[in-house]
Amino acid sequence: MSLSRRMLRQVLLVAGGASLLFAVLFFGLYRDQLERERAATSAQINRLLRVALENAMLKRDVPGLRDIVQRMGQQPGVVGVMILEPGGEVRFASPAERLGQRLPQLLGGETNGVPTTRFISDVGGREVLRSVNPVPNQTPCVGCHGPLEQHPVNGVLVVDYDAGSLREQAYRSAGLFAAAGIAVLALTLGAVWYALRRRVIDPLATLDRAAIALAGGELETRVPAAGDDETGRLAENFNRMAERLAGQIRHSERQQRFLQELLDGMPDGVRVIRRSDYRVLAVNAAYCRQQGTTAEQAVGQPCYRSSHGRDAPCVATMVVCPVAELREAGQSVKCRHRHRSLDERDVPVEVHAVLLNSGDGTAAEQVIVESIIDLSQVVRHSQEQRLSELGLLAAGIAHEIHNPLGSMRLAVDGLLRALRNGSADQDRLAGYLEMMSGEIDRCTGVTQRLLMLSRLPQQQAQAVALNPAVSDTVTLLDFDARSHGIVQTLALDPGEPRVLADDSDLRMLVLNLVQNAHHAMPNGGQLLVRTALAGELAVIEVIDQGCGIPEEAQARIFDPFYSHRADGERGTGLGLTICKSIVERYGGTISVSSVAGAGTTFRVQLARVSE
């Protein structure tokens, strides 16, 4: 209900109630006043009648007394006149049916010898104004009525006036007064209502509409300020408040846009989670790319549904949940998860989370900020990663090229001496040149194998011969193997298996697996690398005699950044992850079997290409 209707209803209720109360009070007071006036009038008439009656009684003029009573009863407004003897018996009455009746209640205790006038209901149920006037005993009457002390009252004069005419007069007067009061009240209420609506209700309604528009985003909404009264000052204050609010909102929106742009500029995924209900409050563009979603779809969702596709919070005893782990502001946690993208992809991620206080620092205002690294992007082997891995081959490659170059240096020196001395012959020169040609071929082979390993992968897979890729890569690691006391053995399938892949990817796969085997044998040992055919599959096996992999660690060796080298060196933890990524890219599988202290076998299976 609107304020104007509510106020109008309240004003009408108050005014109507007050008018009704005043009417009741006026009618009661008017009735009492009318009753007192009629009583005074009837008392005067009664005194005159009593004098006439006393004269008639002293003269013992009973017919005259009866005639007086009859004529009095016929007067306008008089219902009946009765004269009662002291015992209460009606001796004279204008209504003949009252003769002989006894009305003892009109004597003694009721009158106490004092004239009274009041409204009562007579025997017929009609309301009358009854005037009761005791007739006192006097000295001339002692002879008939006895001594004054014993008989103070000779009789009672009762006059009943018609109360209907009195009440009608009272109602008519009260009605006229009420009508006049209503007219005055209506004019007063109209004037008050006009002033109230113009000065209070209409300005408040304008303020209400402006407040609704402002709350709906119409920041330019203002109200006209008229007058210097309270409503005018309220309008001015509202306009000032709206101006400041608009400025604050615009400033907040600029800050929000800046913050979102700052988050979107970060390469790693970021999301903000409200700790009390797991709801995602904000995300950046990188997070949306990771999850294959949009900010509108992610914000407002529970974090466990947004990134894990669950309908309930993650079990804290099964995974490291930042919401469950972090308890105090400033605490941080680092963990690895597998997020579930919108297109049902498993995304390995590393999460760095910190708990912050927002607002007054209560539990309901605590938020968790997560920085999410997409490990599948990190482990995607790039040219820089290949060059990093090739850096580990520098010593072996330098040795492989240095020895042929040294031999060629000796051959060149011998040729120069022979030519200077004039002792050179054709056979000796030919021998030197043949030896130098062989060493050059050796250097060329090393560089060729290195170029094959380091070149960029092709966009499309091709049929690749498996044996050359394996043997060339193992050969590059001969010096590293010898320096660690490792004997490398090749067992290549004579069927020359071919697979649909990329040559450089296969070489990188073998390089990582062989290097991993070298790390597992810091004190030397036997390494067997072999290829085989198994139906429609081509198989690569790398078998070492190293320290083996504990059973509890075998499930994690392909996880990014998990490194536990037996030689004590700190690795990148990406080698086996790269291997798995390469194999899965070409639809193959990689598995491991290991016995602690007895060695490890890595088995790669790829689809075979038929001749």
Side-chain angles (χ1 to χ4, degrees), residues 422-457:
S423 59
D425 57 56
Q426 296 294 326
D427 292 338
R428 189 176 181 182
L429 290 175
Y432 277 129
L433 292 174
E434 287 177 358
M435 185 269 292
M436 291 174 63
S437 177
E439 294 300 327
I440 291 173
D441 288 340
R442 182 178 174 186
C443 289
T444 303
V446 172
T447 56
Q448 183 66 31
R449 287 191 295 272
L450 186 62
L451 288 173
M452 291 293 292
L453 179 64
S454 62
R455 74 177 178 85
L456 288 170

Side-chain angles (χ1 to χ4, degrees), residues 63-230:
L65 187 59
R66 184 178 294 110
D67 182 61
I68 291 173
V69 170
Q70 288 294 331
R71 281 186 293 171
M72 287 177 60
Q74 294 173 1
Q75 296 299 313
V78 177
V79 176
V81 178
M82 296 177 291
I83 297 177
L84 285 67
E85 56 94 25
E89 180 180 353
V90 178
R91 300 295 297 273
F92 300 94
S94 58
E97 64 273 10
R98 290 293 185 91
L99 291 173
Q101 293 181 355
R102 300 187 65 83
L103 299 175
Q105 70 274 18
L106 296 177
L107 304 175
E110 181 165 326
T111 62
N112 292 320
V114 179
T116 60
T117 302
R118 64 177 181 275
F119 289 96
I120 65 169
S121 295
D122 64 0
V123 178
R126 182 173 54 178
E127 188 177 17
V128 297
L129 178 62
R130 173 163 290 177
S131 178
V132 180
N133 298 275
V135 179
N137 191 6
Q138 299 182 27
T139 302
C141 303
V142 171
C144 295
H145 294 279
L148 296 176
E149 296 79 7
Q150 297 179 3
H151 301 283
V153 178
N154 291 338
V156 179
L157 171 63
V158 179
V159 181
D160 289 340
Y161 298 95
D162 185 9
S165 60
L166 298 176
R167 193 173 299 278
E168 181 180 354
Q169 182 181 358
Y171 284 152
R172 184 169 54 253
S173 300
L176 292 174
F177 180 79
I182 289 173
V184 173
L185 182 62
L187 291 175
T188 304
L189 287 179
V192 171
W193 178 250
Y194 175 76
L196 187 64
R197 187 170 187 86
R198 181 179 178 183
R199 294 294 183 181
V200 179
I201 295 178
D202 287 346
L204 288 180
T206 303
L207 282 172
D208 180 62
R209 290 191 295 270
I212 293 175
L214 190 64
E218 300 178 19
L219 301 182
E220 303 304 322
T221 300
R222 300 293 183 270
V223 295
D228 57 352
D229 56 4
E230 287 80 358

